[in-house]
Amino acid sequence: MAFISHIPPLEGGNYRVWREKYELALALSENDLALTSPCPATPVDPVRAENETNADFTTRQRDHAEVRMKYDLDRKKWGISNRKCLIVAKSTISDAIRVSILDCDTATEYLKKVESQFTSSSKAYASTLIKKLFNEKYFGGGIREHILKMSNTASKLKPMDLGLKDEFLIHLVFASLPKEYETFVVNYNMLSDKWDIEKLIAMCVQEDERLKSSHGDSANHVKDYKKKNFNKNVKPQGKAP
């Protein structure tokens, strides 16, 4: 119940979050069998073959009894899981949405009907995420946080089968950087090796610190230069002739 209590009610715009929390809660409480495995198939009772001896048929019946016993146990376990999955799903969906979803015998069928209610909204959400990734720009404030933010946005596309490869995400990150990083990006493109996100973050942080240090030295140099020139232009004050 502690895991289930963390499932947010499905109210329309939070389908993705609801589905993730729903599956996580059932997995952690070990009640997700009906979501991960199909219903066990009923074993066919043995039929005596023509010219089969009583002993052979009896042996097959005995073997089948063990198969049937295992099936009964597995079917009961699966049925309990299926019932719990359905109850949890229905109890965490708002009344306005639940009344529009037809009942199903299995939790997987019910979840497919729930998903179909949000297909169009999911597409719109995916378009929003993709536009956000392509329009993202870095204006300072911590490049590590900037990359993690873009990586988190990209990860939200995975449940919709629109996950991005690391290499593509890395180029999107490069495209979001200002001109100061142009040489850095060119050097990467000349490398034969490919980075993952962790390597990208480490190298970008290093480059960010180098640029900040370089800009700081330049600023101090300009400041000192102006100060020296200002002092040269100031005439020493003395007694009037």
Side-chain angles (χ1 to χ4, degrees):
M1 290 301 297
F3 297 121
I4 295 173
S5 64
H6 287 84
I7 303 175
L10 178 59
E11 297 176 338
N14 64 335
Y15 170 75
R16 182 187 61 81
V17 175
W18 172 83
R19 183 65 180 264
E20 288 179 354
K21 296 294 185 181
Y22 169 80
E23 293 180 348
L24 177 63
L26 289 169
L28 293 176
S29 61
E30 298 182 348
N31 288 308
D32 64 336
L33 178 63
L35 300 181
T36 59
S37 303
C39 179
T42 306
V44 179
D45 292 335
V47 177
R48 185 166 182 170
E50 187 177 355
N51 299 326
E52 186 176 18
T53 64
N54 290 334
D56 290 342
F57 183 58
T58 300
T59 299
R60 288 204 301 120
Q61 285 182 313
R62 184 172 60 250
D63 293 341
H64 177 75
E66 294 180 2
V67 173
R68 181 72 194 199
M69 183 181 298
K70 183 180 184 304
Y71 161 77
D72 290 339
L73 292 173
D74 291 344
R75 180 65 178 81
K76 181 178 181 181
K77 185 178 180 180
W78 188 92
I80 292 173
S81 171
N82 183 60
R83 180 172 177 272
K84 290 181 178 180
C85 290
L86 279 170
I87 291 174
V88 173
K90 293 179 180 180
S91 65
T92 55
I93 298 176
S94 65
D95 293 340
I97 297 175
R98 188 171 62 248
V99 295
S100 64
I101 302 172
L102 298 177
D103 282 333
C104 301
D105 293 330
T106 67
T108 53
E109 291 176 323
Y110 187 79
L111 289 175
K112 286 180 180 178
K113 290 186 179 297
V114 175
E115 183 180 8
S116 66
Q117 297 282 332
F118 298 94
T119 300
S120 59
S121 60
S122 295
K123 289 180 180 178
Y125 181 59
S127 296
T128 300
L129 293 175
I130 292 172
K131 288 179 182 178
K132 184 177 180 181
L133 280 171
F134 276 87
N135 295 325
E136 196 73 52
K137 297 296 178 184
Y138 177 58
F139 298 107
I143 196 164
R144 182 193 304 274
E145 291 72 16
H146 171 71
I147 297 173
L148 289 175
K149 178 182 176 183
M150 292 188 67
S151 179
N152 181 57
T153 300
S155 68
K156 295 177 181 178
L157 292 167
K158 291 182 180 179
M160 295 175 274
D161 296 326
L162 293 171
L164 303 179
K165 292 183 178 180
D166 280 357
E167 180 67 12
F168 186 66
L169 178 58
I170 286 172
H171 283 288
L172 285 179
V173 171
F174 284 155
S176 72
L177 300 179
K179 289 185 177 180
E180 288 82 353
Y181 290 83
E182 188 173 345
T183 301
F184 175 73
V185 175
V186 170
N187 289 336
Y188 170 78
N189 290 333
M190 294 174 64
L191 295 175
S192 59
D193 297 336
K194 294 182 179 180
W195 296 346
D196 55 17
I197 298 301
E198 289 75 15
K199 178 73 171 180
L200 173 68
I201 291 175
M203 299 305 293
C204 283
V205 168
Q206 181 177 322
E207 178 66 9
D208 191 55
E209 291 174 353
R210 188 192 69 79
L211 288 172
K212 286 179 181 178
S213 176
S214 175
H215 290 168
D217 292 342
S218 298
N220 291 331
H221 176 74
V222 172
K223 183 178 179 181
D224 292 339
Y225 177 80
K226 288 183 177 180
K227 184 176 180 181
K228 290 178 181 178
N229 280 284
F230 175 77
N231 290 335
K232 288 181 180 179
N233 293 329
V234 174
K235 295 181 179 180
Q237 293 184 1
K239 294 182 179 180

